[in-house]
Amino acid sequence: YRMEVLLAFVGVSALVIFFGIAVWRSSGVAKTRPYYVYVAGLATLIATAALLSAGILEARFQWMRPWVLTSEPARLTALGRHFIVVYWDISQAEELASRGAVGGFFITHHNVLGKDHAFVRKEVETLKALASENQPRSLWIASDQEGGGVTRLSPPLLPQQSLSSIVALHENASERNDAIRAYTIAQGNELASLGVNLNLSPVVDLKNQIVNPNDRYTR
C-alpha cells in the first residue's frame, strides 16, 4: 500500500494548501487579520514543505530503484544478503529474490490477508526457489508471530494465547516448563508449515507490578 499512502498524503497536503490559500485570500488586505488566518497560513507553509519533501524523496527512490536492481550481480548479492525486507507486491519480491538482492523477507498481515495456507506456502516456496538460483544461503522468511495480541499471520495460522497467560495457569515450575515447551513447539510447527524460518519475538516483556501503563512493553 505504499503508493496508496503516498497518494493519500499528497491529497491531504494539497487540500490543506488549497484551504489555507483560500482562507488567506478571503481575509482581504486588512492589516490585522483574525488569528485563524495566520494558523491557516502556517498550516499551508508546513503542508507545502511536506509536499515538496515527499516529492523529492519519491523522486530519489524511483531514480535509485532501477539503478540498484541493475547493478553488478556479485556486488548486489554480497550487499543484499544483509537485508531482510518487507514487500507489498509479490512480483517485486520475486524480482528481488531472482536477482539475489536480499537475504530474506519479512511477511506480515498484509502479505497473508485473504489468502489460505496453501497459497501463502506456495508464494514463500517460490521466493525460496528463485533465491536459491543466485545465492548458496537459504532465504530467511521472517515474521512476528508472538501470540496473544501480536499474531501477524493469523489467519491462516491458528491464533495462540499470549505466552504470559499460559505461564499464569501453572504455579508448578515443571508443569510451567512443559506448557511453555508445548506452546513453542506448536508455534514453531505452525510457522514452519508456512515456510517461516525466523520468528521475531521479544526476549522479555516487563509487565510485573506496572506503575505506568504506558511503560510496559520491554522499555
Side-chain angles (χ1 to χ4, degrees):
Y1 304 108
R2 179 179 175 277
M3 187 55 65
E4 289 85 345
V5 172
L6 177 63
L7 291 174
F9 177 79
V10 170
V12 170
S13 298
L15 284 175
V16 172
I17 293 170
F18 176 80
F19 178 77
I21 293 174
V23 170
W24 189 267
R25 292 184 64 180
S26 67
S27 66
V29 293
K31 292 183 179 180
T32 57
R33 294 183 171 94
Y35 75 93
Y36 66 82
V37 174
Y38 294 99
V39 172
L42 179 61
T44 301
L45 290 175
I46 293 173
T48 301
L51 195 58
L52 288 173
S53 297
I56 292 170
L57 290 173
E58 180 62 20
R60 181 173 180 270
F61 171 78
Q62 294 297 339
W63 177 79
M64 290 186 67
R65 184 174 181 273
W67 178 76
V68 170
L69 292 176
T70 56
S71 61
E72 197 271 319
R75 182 187 184 199
L76 183 63
T77 302
L79 296 176
R81 66 187 179 88
H82 296 286
F83 294 89
I84 295 177
V85 301
V86 177
Y87 67 89
W88 279 261
D89 186 336
I90 187 63
S91 64
Q92 294 176 345
E94 290 173 349
E95 182 180 16
L96 291 171
S98 66
R99 294 174 182 269
V102 292
F105 295 99
F106 180 87
I107 62 174
T108 187
H109 51 84
H110 67 257
N111 300 118
V112 301
L113 185 64
K115 302 174 184 178
D116 62 21
H117 188 286
F119 192 91
V120 177
R121 172 77 185 193
K122 184 178 179 180
E123 287 190 338
V124 169
E125 290 303 319
T126 298
L127 293 175
K128 287 182 177 179
L130 289 170
S132 67
E133 298 174 3
N134 292 280
Q135 55 184 336
R137 300 173 182 81
S138 297
L139 191 70
W140 288 111
I141 302 295
S143 192
D144 187 14
Q145 185 79 352
E146 298 177 20
V150 183
T151 51
R152 312 296 187 194
L153 303 181
S154 300
L157 298 188
L158 296 174
Q160 288 181 292
Q161 296 174 268
S162 66
L163 189 56
S164 60
S165 67
I166 299 296
V167 171
L169 296 175
H170 303 278
E171 294 185 3
N172 180 274
S174 178
E175 292 179 358
R176 186 165 58 246
N177 289 338
D178 289 342
I180 292 171
R181 186 173 294 107
Y183 179 98
T184 53
I185 288 173
Q187 185 184 64
N189 287 335
E190 279 265 276
L191 290 167
S193 73
L194 207 59
V196 176
N197 51 25
L198 176 62
N199 192 25
L200 305 178
S201 293
V203 175
V204 61
D205 277 327
L206 304 177
K207 297 185 180 181
N208 188 39
Q209 298 179 349
I210 297 169
V211 176
N212 178 5
N214 293 320
D215 187 24
R216 66 185 184 275
Y217 295 123
T218 58
R219 297 183 188 176

